[in-house]
Amino acid sequence: ITAFRFFLNVNTNLKCTVMKKLSALLRDHSSRLIFNNHGNLWSHKLGMWPIHAVHRIGGKRKNRVNYMTLRQGKRLAEEAGLVIEKVMG
């Protein structure tokens, strides 16, 4: 199962619900779920974080910019009963 650009863009409760549902859909112990955290702070978003923070404080940015730390991604997987096998990038 692959899930790209989904988990970063939905609210926390839906993240947990969907991750648990995807985990339950895995065929067996040899199946894998791959998800992309394209919003981790070690990505290109690190350079933009200070700018987004200033815009939020100044009221210039109304839309929330989504970030997900590696720790949050690990917690999401663990809450769904998954074990992280490999982290890349």
Side-chain angles (χ1 to χ4, degrees):
I1 297 175
T2 60
F4 294 95
R5 296 197 177 268
F6 174 79
F7 288 100
L8 189 65
N9 296 309
V10 297
N11 70 51
T12 303
N13 292 334
L14 189 55
K15 286 178 193 177
C16 294
T17 300
V18 171
M19 186 64 90
K20 287 177 182 177
K21 180 66 174 173
L22 291 176
S23 174
L25 292 173
L26 292 171
R27 184 183 54 206
D28 57 31
H29 72 281
S30 67
S31 301
R32 300 292 183 261
L33 184 143
I34 300 169
F35 79 97
N36 177 348
N37 178 11
H38 65 283
N40 71 78
L41 284 177
W42 295 110
S43 72
H44 69 284
K45 290 199 173 197
L46 180 61
M48 295 301 294
W49 183 84
I51 294 167
H52 293 156
V54 168
H55 284 189
R56 278 192 307 276
I57 292 168
K60 293 179 183 176
R61 184 164 186 90
K62 292 181 172 57
N63 295 336
R64 186 174 62 96
V65 177
N66 297 329
Y67 297 99
M68 182 190 298
T69 65
L70 180 57
R71 182 178 297 162
Q72 290 169 324
K74 286 181 177 181
R75 188 176 327 121
L76 180 62
E78 290 169 358
E79 288 176 5
L82 297 169
V83 175
I84 294 182
E85 190 174 279
K86 187 175 187 178
V87 175
M88 296 174 62

